[in-house]
Amino acid sequence: TITLVAPEGFNYYKWNDGTTTNTLNVTYPATKLYSVVVTDINGCSTSDQLTVYTYNIAADALIAPVSQCELSNAEDVTIQVSNLSADTIPDGEVIDVSYILNSGSAVNETLTLSDTLYPAGSVNYTFTQKANLSANQLHNFVIFAQHQEDADVNDSYNTNVDYQKPEFNIEPSEV
């Protein structure tokens, strides 16, 4: 819930939902345009409007790479981007996506939706920049996705990919 506030001191207020106070509590779960008309003591009116955005986009899964015996220095990185809001996000909208590998520098790219992203829907995005996972170790990924009108700024997901190639040396034994 957020509260929209029109300035005090007017004689009459009327919001687009019929509310007649200078405040309006917004609980509608989708993006919506709100407007208010205010009237002063002389009967003069003016209005204002504001769109409250409720987009909530998140990177919520690392699709590739996955833990395996051997990884390369040029692994595709594919993430799942989900619409966690009640809004439908139309095709053509741009979502900022990024990943950080092993606390390094962020790889930042943009995903332009080629199809409508419905509530509870998701889309996969493969980065153009490959990841170097050739070291035999546990690799940490932090992935992000955010729309410019995103209502939730905590849109990251942290996960690990394990390069699991066993390493050993054969030693001669005495008989």
Side-chain angles (χ1 to χ4, degrees), residues 9-12 38-46:
F10 291 96
N11 285 23
Y12 183 72
V38 296
T39 306
D40 69 11
I41 194 169
N42 299 314
C44 299
S45 297
T46 190

Side-chain angles (χ1 to χ4, degrees), residues 18-161:
T19 300
T20 57
T21 62
N22 76 314
T23 62
L24 177 68
N25 289 323
V26 175
T27 58
Y28 187 69
T31 297
K32 185 175 178 181
L33 176 69
Y34 294 89
S35 61
V36 63
V37 175
V38 296
T39 306
D40 69 11
I41 194 169
N42 299 314
C44 299
S45 297
T46 190
S47 64
D48 198 7
Q49 62 186 18
L50 174 72
T51 300
V52 175
Y53 292 93
T54 59
Y55 288 174
N56 187 6
I57 299 297
D60 56 1
L62 180 67
I63 305 302
V66 296
S67 295
Q68 57 190 17
C69 294
E70 197 165 349
L71 295 162
S72 74
N73 65 354
E75 294 288 332
D76 282 334
V77 177
T78 302
I79 65 173
Q80 177 177 284
V81 176
S82 296
N83 181 359
L84 305 179
S85 71
D87 282 317
T88 296
I89 302 174
D91 62 49
E93 288 289 309
V94 174
I95 298 171
D96 296 321
V97 292
S98 61
Y99 73 87
I100 297 173
L101 173 60
N102 298 327
S103 301
S105 298
V107 174
N108 300 304
E109 297 185 10
T110 55
L111 159 63
T112 301
L113 293 176
S114 58
D115 293 311
T116 299
L117 185 55
Y118 293 100
S122 63
V123 61
N124 289 349
Y125 177 79
T126 300
F127 287 85
T128 58
Q129 184 168 329
K130 311 269 188 204
N132 182 353
L133 303 180
S134 60
N136 192 355
Q137 69 180 45
L138 187 68
H139 297 279
N140 178 255
F141 278 89
V142 181
I143 59 176
F144 304 89
Q146 188 170 13
H147 186 276
Q148 67 178 357
E149 303 294 347
D150 208 324
D152 182 3
V153 295
N154 186 16
D155 295 325
S156 65
Y157 178 77
N158 191 327
T159 190
N160 293 315
V161 174

